[in-house]
Amino acid sequence: MPLSAAVSRSEEPILEIRNLQTHFELKRGVVKAVDGVDLVLNRNQTLGLVGESGCGKSVTSLSVMKLFQSPPGRIVGGSIMLHRPDNGGSVDIVKVDAKGPLMQSIRGGEIAMVFQEPMTSLNPLNTIGAQIAEAVKLHQGVGNKEGMDRALEMLTKVKIADPKRRLHEYPHQMSGGMRQRVMIAMALSCNPSVLIADEPTTALDVTVQAQILDLMSQLQEDYGSAVMMVTHNLGVVSQIADFVAVMYLGKVVEYADVRSLFHDPRHPYTMGLLKAVPVFGKKQATPLVPIKGTVPSPSDRISGCSFADRCPFAKAECREVVPPLEEVAPGHFAACIRSGEISWG
């Protein structure tokens, strides 16, 4: 049974990704950035999408939004089903024209995205209020006054001090944490059913990171949005996620609820990530163990398991057989032919 079918059998899915394949055709060859990904995002839940840089996390999220550059990038297979019962039923985003009116209404109106560095997403020439109001006017068909009123309401919601004054300021007049709050306000201004957050706390200091995560959790409760949190930070995932999907070289190699994944990981890559994380304020009983080697290039042709060359449990068969993502415990999936033999500890 595929992951998407098994996970959605008793839940209320809003976004179902099945066998997604996003490739980039470059001079040096085809880069399979996303190579057969299955994911399910349920209403009112947060899915953490984790892995090292280059594993395909961000390209997966950009594929949902259809924001990658095409060419050279294109979705060559799979489906991204957005379930919208109050807005015309389900739609396969893969089949929707990236520049057409339907995708423009979905992007921002039903699926919103918060990027890693807000200064690259905010227009330096427009005030904060004008930028939020523009999104509201575009997707909700209201006038200037209603748009600015909504912008003020959202700045208040994200707890920006003196929101009436900040409404008329420019991005460069704000700190990194405040700009990120503005991006969250803009993303949620049209009440999207799905919020994708791509490394939203990476450039922020630890105190501000905690504030942003608390803010996102509170706003999710208020608005009922489903959240896909894209990050390499397992600490962030442990705080905010309900379920976790671990990606490696364009594939999901493990999927489970957050407690099961942290206490009983079943894939060697997940085990390696957890062993490499220091515990703040606690003396390490054993030294941190880095994962040996580096992530192969997505353009390399690899037979068998893509993690085999870095895996301490690999045997000859691992270099010959591509492991499927299988259910190893109720609701817990792993792509490892030795998942029943190896143990976490």
Side-chain angles (χ1 to χ4, degrees), residues 51-63:
E52 293 171 275
S53 297
C55 71
K57 308 184 303 294
S58 292
V59 176
T60 298
S61 63
L62 292 174
S63 297

Side-chain angles (χ1 to χ4, degrees), residues 282-303:
K282 181 179 179 181
K283 187 176 181 180
Q284 292 291 133
T286 57
L288 298 178
V289 181
I291 301 174
K292 70 174 185 178
T294 57
V295 181
S297 168
S299 59
D300 292 346
R301 294 192 175 186
I302 300 173
S303 59

Side-chain angles (χ1 to χ4, degrees), residues 197-343:
D198 188 358
E199 302 278 11
T201 61
T202 296
L204 306 177
D205 63 59
V206 175
T207 302
V208 179
Q209 281 187 23
Q211 294 172 353
I212 293 296
L213 292 177
D214 288 343
L215 172 64
M216 291 185 67
S217 297
Q218 182 60 54
L219 291 174
Q220 183 185 21
E221 289 183 17
D222 295 343
Y223 290 93
S225 298
V227 176
M228 181 186 292
M229 174 68 73
V230 180
T231 181
H232 66 275
N233 191 327
L234 290 171
V236 169
V237 170
S238 67
Q239 291 181 55
I240 199 170
D242 299 299
F243 293 90
V244 186
V246 180
M247 287 191 67
Y248 186 78
L249 208 63
K251 298 178 182 291
V252 174
V253 296
E254 187 160 7
Y255 175 96
D257 67 87
V258 66
R259 180 174 178 81
S260 296
L261 187 120
F262 275 79
H263 290 86
D264 185 27
R266 304 295 290 273
H267 193 282
Y269 179 58
T270 309
M271 296 178 186
L273 290 177
L274 292 172
K275 286 182 178 180
V277 176
V279 180
F280 181 73
K282 181 179 179 181
K283 187 176 181 180
Q284 292 291 133
T286 57
L288 298 178
V289 181
I291 301 174
K292 70 174 185 178
T294 57
V295 181
S297 168
S299 59
D300 292 346
R301 294 192 175 186
I302 300 173
S303 59
C305 175
S306 57
F307 188 62
D309 287 342
R310 307 177 70 191
C311 179
F313 305 104
K315 56 183 181 180
E317 186 181 357
C318 296
R319 292 176 171 81
E320 300 170 357
V321 177
V322 178
L325 188 65
E326 295 183 324
E327 195 166 16
V328 295
H332 195 149
F333 296 76
C336 177
I337 62 173
R338 302 198 65 190
S339 61
E341 306 171 31
I342 58 180
S343 62

Side-chain angles (χ1 to χ4, degrees), residues 9-335:
R9 59 194 168 200
S10 61
E11 301 288 352
E12 189 180 1
I14 188 167
L15 191 69
E16 291 187 81
I17 301 174
R18 298 198 181 203
N19 194 31
L20 178 64
Q21 301 162 60
T22 303
H23 296 176
F24 291 82
E25 297 177 359
L26 307 178
K27 289 183 179 180
R28 67 175 185 268
V30 176
V31 175
K32 297 180 180 180
V34 179
D35 191 19
V37 163
D38 277 14
L39 287 174
V40 173
L41 189 58
N42 293 311
R43 295 182 188 279
N44 302 314
Q45 290 184 342
T46 298
L47 171 67
L49 195 59
V50 303
E52 293 171 275
S53 297
C55 71
K57 308 184 303 294
S58 292
V59 176
T60 298
S61 63
L62 292 174
S63 297
V64 174
M65 299 290 284
K66 299 197 99 170
L67 284 176
F68 54 82
Q69 185 176 347
S70 178
R74 65 189 183 98
I75 297 175
V76 300
S79 64
I80 305 172
M81 298 302 301
L82 174 65
H83 300 296
R84 47 212 294 260
D86 300 327
N87 198 9
S90 301
V91 60
D92 184 357
I93 291 175
V94 170
K95 298 178 180 178
V96 177
D97 180 5
K99 298 180 180 180
L102 177 56
M103 195 63 220
Q104 289 181 9
S105 69
I106 291 173
R107 191 187 295 131
E110 297 181 59
I111 306 176
M113 193 164 184
V114 178
F115 294 93
Q116 177 175 343
E117 178 44 65
M119 275 303 282
T120 63
S121 305
L122 293 170
N123 187 335
L125 303 179
N126 284 346
T127 64
I128 294 302
Q131 293 185 59
I132 299 175
E134 182 182 10
V136 177
K137 290 187 290 184
L138 175 65
H139 293 289
Q140 298 190 349
V142 299
N144 287 328
K145 184 180 184 308
E146 292 88 347
M148 289 299 286
D149 287 346
R150 178 63 171 167
L152 178 59
E153 177 189 347
M154 291 309 302
L155 289 182
T156 304
K157 284 271 189 184
V158 299
K159 301 178 181 178
I160 284 185
D162 197 0
K164 287 186 179 180
R165 177 171 64 88
R166 295 294 186 179
L167 200 65
H168 304 288
E169 291 187 345
Y170 293 85
H172 72 271
Q173 295 176 277
M174 296 185 168
S175 67
M178 292 180 70
R179 288 194 293 265
Q180 199 60 281
R181 288 171 186 265
V182 169
M183 287 298 300
I184 295 171
M186 187 181 301
L188 292 173
S189 62
C190 298
N191 297 331
S193 51
V194 176
L195 175 65
I196 299 174
D198 188 358
E199 302 278 11
T201 61
T202 296
L204 306 177
D205 63 59
V206 175
T207 302
V208 179
Q209 281 187 23
Q211 294 172 353
I212 293 296
L213 292 177
D214 288 343
L215 172 64
M216 291 185 67
S217 297
Q218 182 60 54
L219 291 174
Q220 183 185 21
E221 289 183 17
D222 295 343
Y223 290 93
S225 298
V227 176
M228 181 186 292
M229 174 68 73
V230 180
T231 181
H232 66 275
N233 191 327
L234 290 171
V236 169
V237 170
S238 67
Q239 291 181 55
I240 199 170
D242 299 299
F243 293 90
V244 186
V246 180
M247 287 191 67
Y248 186 78
L249 208 63
K251 298 178 182 291
V252 174
V253 296
E254 187 160 7
Y255 175 96
D257 67 87
V258 66
R259 180 174 178 81
S260 296
L261 187 120
F262 275 79
H263 290 86
D264 185 27
R266 304 295 290 273
H267 193 282
Y269 179 58
T270 309
M271 296 178 186
L273 290 177
L274 292 172
K275 286 182 178 180
V277 176
V279 180
F280 181 73
K282 181 179 179 181
K283 187 176 181 180
Q284 292 291 133
T286 57
L288 298 178
V289 181
I291 301 174
K292 70 174 185 178
T294 57
V295 181
S297 168
S299 59
D300 292 346
R301 294 192 175 186
I302 300 173
S303 59
C305 175
S306 57
F307 188 62
D309 287 342
R310 307 177 70 191
C311 179
F313 305 104
K315 56 183 181 180
E317 186 181 357
C318 296
R319 292 176 171 81
E320 300 170 357
V321 177
V322 178
L325 188 65
E326 295 183 324
E327 195 166 16
V328 295
H332 195 149
F333 296 76

